[in-house]
Amino acid sequence: AFPAMRPVGSWPWSPLGLLLCLLCCSCLGSPSPSTAPEKRTGSQGLRFRLAGFPRKPFEGRVEIQRAGEWGTICDDDFTLQAAHVLCRELGFTEATGWTHSAKYGPGTGRIWLDNLSCSGTEQSVTECASRGWGNSDCTHDEDAGVICKNQRLPGFSDSNVIEVEHHLQVEEVRLRPAVGRGRRPLPVTEGLVEVRLPDGWSQVCDKGWSAHNSHVVCGMLGFPSEKRVNTAFYRLGYGGGMEWEEGCGGAGALFYPIAPHSYPPRLLAQRQQHSFGLHGVACIGTEAHLSLCSLEFYRANDTTRCPGGAPAVVSCVPGPLYAASSGQKKQQQSKLQGEVRVRLKGGSHPGEGRVEVLKAGTWGTVCDRKWDLLAASVVCRELGFGSAREALSGARMGQGMGAIHLSEVRCSGQEPSLWRCLHKNITAEDCSHSQDAGVRCNLPYTGVETKIRLSGGRSRYEGRVEVQIGGPGPLRWGLICGDDWGTLEAMVACRQLGLGYANHGLQETWYWDSGNVTEVVMSGVRCTGTELSLDQCAHHGIHIACKRTETRFTAGVICSETASDLLLHSTLVQETAYIEDRPLHMLYCAAEENCLASSARSANWPYGHRRLLRFSSQIHNLGRADFRPKAGRHSWVWHECHGHYHSMDIFTHYDILTPNGTKVAEGHKASFCLEDTECQEDVSKRYECANFGEQGITVGCWDLYRHDIDCQWIDITDVKPGNYILQVVINPNFEVAESDFTNNAMKCNCKYDGHRIWVHNCHIGDAFSEEANRRFERYPGQTSNQIV
């Protein structure tokens, strides 16, 4: 509780003012550093700089000054080798990537270089081949950018930087909130707007501040929309001589309003002084960053700043994932679920992925033609995130499968849904899945990554999982019991750490024993894989229940920024399904590998036959990493019967279900061998099973199991005539990490009359809308050999 507060002089204290506090949160916005150029090191007469926003200090659009004129580089034929040379010109050790299509915004002036070709070893960009200085057929929509390693060249000097006042930019934005008693949970949704300028954090004058400005700020901070705020409350707290005391240091500190003589002298803080750095902000409301708005900076010699005004205040509405109260969260989630026609797939972090849209009950992708930040921001806000940090093209988040619904999407940025934007309906000939559009959205700062850490690993992507728990007494770090810890739990841990996906979830971590933390503080962790932190997963309460109590049997993870994603070619299943009555004397190997129904054990071998539903399965890897067996070569099992190694115990489940979900027949497939049967035109095969070769499925390739291969069937000998569902599930035990497990199941309607079978309506489990799936479960079957 706060100590009693007394009036100061004749200033009238308000009960509302007495409750006013200020919480200093950490920086939440996307950076947008200034475009001041760096001194070049090797190209005489040239200067280089990184420009554009939002960006980090070591990335951006490359600009070159030649003959006193600044210009850009076209992305035609641009490579990582050229980026290496340019990053060294900018004073960095090397490049880690490059960008095309004006990712950091289009530049102005000349396009100095086109078709730039470097080997990567050149000392200067002047040594690289090109069309010649100023000779280009590009537009600024094709400006190239680089992402440099954040490490300077030894001895690099930037004393030759050209200082231009109008290059001053807003770098970051944060909210300094006012709260009641106690600490407000993250994310912070309301408070005074503060911007980080080169000389520190400053406030923004609220004269002329509009809802459009608030909309832009909320989008930068990861919130889809803004709401009205009681500015009088803040003016009361900041007016008339109130003073503030910082309750605790650093981000998240509390500030208490105090009055002179109310506390001992050592507790008195200095009088709250406004530090306005920005005024005249005028946004349209569609900007992805505050720097894109019209605004003015106060000059250093301004003595009077924001006369009659006050600091700007913004209040944001959190999306469903970040709603503070459970009631609010459920309400927003149900609202979102009722209207969802857009989703993200294949992203390694929340708020990023390939954009998919729902049309006529079927999900499909969006072609990246004319895809930009405005359209990407509409998607992000529609899904409950902030504005878009990046609009991705070229299937950067993996390729989809099936329909491509939209192309040439053009948004103003104010639409409530992507479907309200102008767009072109296309056919398969107009675009391919190699052009699937994606997004990265701004997210609220939740601080969940501070509650978890890894220890003992060889890199920051692996180690024993340690979590921070509170309770009576101070916060402390502890371990997680390894019982039942698997891929889904590891996925959540890696996501909470900000490290992407989990390659492995480990139940034994003695080889990572750091020795500092030995107490097991969490057990019984069971996750669905979609949670943002381990706290959201089911787990035991205060009573820890762990079968193996030694610290060696605690949870560990190996994380990765990329993962595979397997999809079954559902149309091929439908096209190849048929019934075969196979003699028992030809099924000895299949029986040995447990590929027949249990009733086959009591059959009159070798006489008689089994009735098999056979079909081909073509499994594509559309992710961003190769699919590799979890087990190493040393543990693969040789099967003499078919002359091959099994690298996974169960790779696929085949089931026949009644419409209400009861299983009436089942089959399974161990990975006879995982290999690249065929690949896309620009992809080379990497895996082949022959001669004990490496097994796996390369990104952009597929593994084909033909219908005439042993165990590529379901034994339906005991199935009675009727309407059924054929279900195929890949990687059913989650043995290998994938970016998306929801698309691992395929379902088909099937009608069996005792002699023939009709298979139709085959589709990936999440390819239809929820309503279409409900209709699928209730399908009426067929009459007179016609599907109805």
Side-chain angles (χ1 to χ4, degrees), residues 592-627:
E592 181 181 318
E593 295 189 356
N594 198 29
C595 294
L596 298 175
S598 57
S599 62
R601 298 191 187 98
S602 57
N604 186 23
W605 291 80
Y607 308 104
H609 66 271
R610 303 298 293 183
R611 176 158 289 185
L612 308 175
L613 171 59
R614 310 196 71 148
F615 50 88
S616 298
S617 69
Q618 184 171 300
I619 299 169
H620 295 244
N621 181 5
L622 299 182
R624 292 189 287 151
D626 295 351
F627 184 93

Side-chain angles (χ1 to χ4, degrees), residues 528-589:
T528 64
T530 60
E531 297 87 351
L532 296 180
S533 69
L534 291 175
D535 286 340
Q536 297 177 0
C537 300
H539 58 86
H540 295 153
I542 58 175
H543 300 293
I544 305 301
C546 198
K547 297 175 184 176
R548 299 173 296 182
T549 57
E550 302 94 328
T551 56
R552 64 176 293 172
F553 298 113
T554 52
V557 295
I558 300 176
C559 303
S560 172
E561 285 289 338
T562 57
S564 59
D565 187 20
L566 298 187
L567 271 81
L568 188 67
H569 192 327
S570 55
T571 305
L572 185 64
V573 174
Q574 182 169 318
E575 293 172 348
T576 58
Y578 66 97
I579 286 178
E580 178 193 16
D581 289 336
R582 194 163 182 81
L584 280 172
H585 69 83
M586 300 177 68
L587 292 171
Y588 279 104
C589 276

Side-chain angles (χ1 to χ4, degrees), residues 293-314:
C293 300
S294 172
L295 48 83
E296 297 180 56
F297 296 90
Y298 283 109
R299 298 179 180 275
N301 58 1
D302 287 337
T303 56
T304 303
R305 300 191 177 191
C306 198
V313 179
V314 165

Side-chain angles (χ1 to χ4, degrees), residues 643-722:
H644 56 246
Y645 282 94
H646 282 197
S647 57
M648 292 177 66
D649 291 335
I650 297 293
F651 178 55
T652 314
H653 278 166
Y654 303 142
D655 298 311
I656 297 290
L657 311 173
T658 64
N660 67 6
T662 303
K663 187 184 300 183
V664 294
E666 63 182 19
H668 80 277
K669 188 170 202 55
S671 59
F672 279 8
C673 76
L674 290 171
E675 67 177 5
D676 298 326
T677 306
E678 295 291 341
C679 298
Q680 298 169 5
E681 291 183 5
D682 56 343
V683 179
S684 300
K685 297 180 182 179
R686 298 183 58 189
Y687 302 106
E688 187 175 6
C689 298
N691 301 318
F692 197 30
E694 287 293 339
Q695 293 193 27
I697 307 177
T698 304
V699 175
C701 299
W702 54 89
D703 191 2
L704 173 63
Y705 292 100
R706 286 174 49 87
H707 55 83
D708 53 1
I709 297 176
D710 262 4
C711 294
Q712 186 59 43
W713 63 57
I714 303 176
D715 184 348
I716 62 170
T717 306
D718 305 318
V719 175
K720 298 176 181 180

